[in-house]
Amino acid sequence: MAESSEDYAQAHADQYREKGNGLFKAGDYAGAVGAYSEAIALDPANHVLYSNRSGAYLALGGAISKAFKDAEQCVALKPDWPKSYSRRGAAEHALGRFVAAQTSYRKALELAPETPAFVKGLAAARAGEEEATKQRIVEEKRREAEEAARQKAEAERKRKEEEEAAAREELGDFFSALDDDAVARKRAKKAETNPTTEKYATQKLGKGADQIARLTPSHHAFKNLNPFHVLDLDVDATPDDIKARYRKLSALTHPDKNGGADDARRAFEYVKDAYLELSDEKKRAKTVLIVEGARRRCRDERALQVEKGIVDGEDELPPLDGALAKEVLKTFAQNEMKRRDVEDHHRVQANRDREHEEAAKKKDADEKAFEKQWNDDDRRADRIDFWQQFQDDAKRATNVKRQRGAVNFKREAKVEKKPKYGQADMESWKREWK
């Protein structure tokens, strides 16, 4: 009976499969992957071959994505085979996709209930998910601790810089005071160009505990986004007003004068940050625009309510001062949330781009390694040996159909030493002449 090309492919696919099984048992997982790949090339519809190669990739390590890809192909070829789902579950577990791995193992158990290996794999996936959750919590705590330490170090650095700046300023004032006439002229000119507002100079600030309580209420991080609120000033404050208020509040809230309390340290930092922000002319102008815009929107909204008859008059609305302060606070909080959202988006996008780049590099390296292995001389010699054994088979030699088709094929000869490109065989003319 004539043997078809399908019979040939099946026969050699089985040989490669047996070879791969032997290499796998011997611990040669790379060799097993190669043998299974040869078998798949001859019999690409065999789901068992993809399952075996997936297991070899998984055991090899460093090729988990290929193991998952083969498991997916196995499921596509044989969706009613329980082991195909267990292969996929194992690959998903190795990739850290514990929820997906549990789904795969449950599907395998639906097809083959109470199978010990599937039950064990499902339990391992659940344990992996729990462990990953624990590690994620530990990592988040570690990051929070590092961020707290970083903020503390940054605060300490700013405090030292501020103290050094204050010391330098005090020293400069000391030397400037040596020339009374020059100091007097300077102060007179400064008073003309940038006078101190009387209402702020005479404003009562109370004790340090009062200011600390004002600056550290609940949700103080959002309530202190407005630097004018922190320094207890309005937008009409001059640079001298800001500087004078900073000196008073920093003295009242300094941690050393308040027993080193945490609230005092936080209040002191808020005062210092507000002063630095309002000392910058551009930042101060931007802050003034934000405050005035919020107040204008509040007044327009109240006027609109009266105009439409929602209320009979301004008397039925909440007090104007409280409404204005609330709208300003809301505006600063909304701006801060938008800023955080933008930062989160940039961070997520940067992480995604980095992961894609790493995945592309890894894929390129894996493909190059596989191509190098595929073109290895030993593997090429093995394929030629298999083909020659098939041609020399005594049973197939009497096959009439094979004899008719053999005229179109030439027996491959194993070349022991292949000449380099462009190099001629100088002894060939002697053999042909004889």
Side-chain angles (χ1 to χ4, degrees):
M1 182 177 181
E3 183 178 18
S4 63
S5 59
E6 289 80 2
D7 296 334
Y8 163 76
Q10 182 63 46
H12 283 75
D14 291 342
Q15 291 182 15
Y16 279 116
R17 180 171 59 82
E18 293 299 329
K19 180 181 178 181
N21 293 342
L23 292 172
F24 187 90
K25 291 179 181 179
D28 185 3
Y29 303 120
V33 168
Y36 291 139
S37 298
E38 295 283 0
I40 290 173
L42 295 170
D43 189 6
N46 192 330
H47 61 282
V48 177
L49 297 176
Y50 285 100
S51 174
N52 292 353
R53 191 171 69 173
S54 176
Y57 273 134
L58 201 59
L60 183 61
I64 303 175
S65 297
K66 292 185 177 181
F68 175 74
K69 185 177 180 181
D70 279 354
E72 286 278 79
Q73 183 64 22
C74 182
V75 171
L77 291 173
K78 193 69 173 176
D80 58 346
W81 191 39
K83 192 173 182 179
S84 61
Y85 294 98
S86 70
R87 286 294 192 195
R88 188 176 68 182
E92 290 169 338
H93 188 149
L95 288 170
R97 305 173 186 173
F98 301 110
V99 176
Q102 293 177 46
T103 302
S104 297
Y105 279 119
R106 289 193 187 98
K107 182 63 177 178
L109 287 170
E110 289 178 5
L111 297 173
E114 305 299 330
T115 302
F118 302 162
V119 173
K120 183 178 179 181
L122 178 59
R126 289 173 179 168
E129 182 184 8
E130 294 176 357
E131 183 63 24
T133 302
K134 292 179 181 178
Q135 291 179 359
R136 185 167 60 252
I137 293 173
V138 171
E139 180 65 17
E140 290 177 357
K141 291 182 178 180
R142 183 188 65 80
R143 291 177 181 175
E144 291 176 357
E146 289 180 352
E147 180 63 18
R150 185 193 66 78
Q151 292 180 357
K152 183 177 180 181
E154 181 67 16
E156 182 65 19
R157 183 186 65 80
K158 289 182 179 180
R159 183 183 65 80
K160 290 182 178 180
E161 290 180 354
E162 187 64 25
E163 290 177 353
E164 292 174 358
R168 288 194 297 269
E169 184 176 358
E170 184 178 357
L171 186 62
D173 291 342
F174 170 76
F175 285 110
S176 297
L178 296 178
D179 190 350
D180 294 338
D181 293 337
V183 171
R185 289 194 299 270
K186 182 178 180 181
R187 288 179 178 174
K189 183 178 180 181
K190 187 176 182 181
E192 294 176 358
T193 58
N194 190 20
T196 302
T197 307
E198 182 66 18
K199 63 178 180 180
Y200 297 132
T202 59
Q203 183 180 358
K204 301 297 183 181
L205 299 178
K207 298 180 180 180
D210 299 331
Q211 291 297 327
I212 292 172
R214 181 180 70 87
L215 294 173
T216 58
S218 60
H219 308 293
H220 52 79
F222 283 93
K223 292 182 179 179
N224 292 324
L225 292 173
N226 180 6
F228 285 108
H229 165 75
V230 173
L231 297 181
D232 202 8
L233 297 171
D234 206 345
V235 294
D236 61 348
T238 65
D240 272 4
D241 294 331
I242 295 170
K243 187 174 182 180
R245 181 57 54 86
Y246 165 68
R247 288 180 174 176
K248 292 180 180 180
L249 289 181
S250 61
L252 289 173
T253 60
H254 199 284
D256 294 343
K257 295 183 179 181
N258 293 277
D262 292 338
D263 286 345
R265 189 176 299 279
R266 281 191 286 267
F268 180 77
E269 290 298 326
Y270 284 136
V271 171
K272 183 171 59 176
D273 292 340
Y275 170 68
L276 292 176
E277 185 170 356
L278 294 181
S279 298
D280 188 303
E281 184 177 355
K282 293 182 179 179
K283 291 182 179 180
R284 183 173 68 253
K286 182 179 178 181
T287 304
V288 170
L289 289 177
I290 294 174
V291 173
E292 291 179 345
R295 291 174 175 175
R296 184 172 59 254
R297 286 194 302 273
C298 181
R299 292 191 178 95
D300 293 344
E301 179 65 22
R302 291 168 66 92
L304 184 63
Q305 291 183 21
V306 175
E307 181 181 353
K308 289 187 175 182
I310 298 176
V311 294
D312 294 335
E314 287 278 345
D315 296 338
E316 296 185 7
L317 293 172
L320 179 60
D321 292 341
L324 293 176
K326 185 176 180 180
E327 183 63 25
V328 171
L329 176 64
K330 179 181 176 182
T331 301
F332 275 96
Q334 290 174 343
N335 291 345
E336 176 64 11
M337 293 304 297
K338 290 179 182 178
R339 184 190 66 79
R340 293 183 182 184
D341 290 341
V342 170
E343 287 183 353
D344 291 341
H345 174 75
H346 288 325
R347 182 172 62 257
V348 170
Q349 185 63 36
N351 292 338
R352 185 182 296 115
D353 293 342
R354 184 171 62 254
E355 290 174 358
H356 288 174
E357 183 179 358
E358 292 175 355
K361 290 181 179 179
K362 184 177 182 302
K363 180 180 178 182
D364 184 60
D366 292 342
E367 289 177 352
K368 288 182 178 179
F370 182 81
E371 186 69 20
K372 181 178 180 181
Q373 185 183 13
W374 176 263
N375 293 325
D376 187 75
D377 291 336
D378 294 336
R379 297 187 62 192
R380 186 183 294 109
D382 290 343
R383 292 197 295 272
I384 293 175
D385 289 340
F386 273 120
W387 174 240
Q388 290 178 344
Q389 292 174 11
F390 179 81
Q391 290 178 319
D392 296 336
D393 194 317
K395 294 181 179 179
R396 294 182 176 86
T398 57
N399 191 309
V400 177
K401 183 177 179 180
R402 178 179 177 276
Q403 292 176 358
R404 288 198 303 268
V407 297
N408 297 322
F409 294 93
K410 181 180 178 182
R411 175 182 174 85
E412 291 191 29
K414 184 175 180 181
V415 180
E416 297 297 336
K417 185 177 181 182
K418 192 174 182 179
K420 296 183 180 179
Y421 178 77
Q423 181 178 354
D425 186 0
M426 303 304 296
E427 300 296 327
S428 61
W429 67 271
K430 295 181 181 180
R431 294 192 296 271
E432 294 175 358
W433 177 73
K434 291 181 179 180

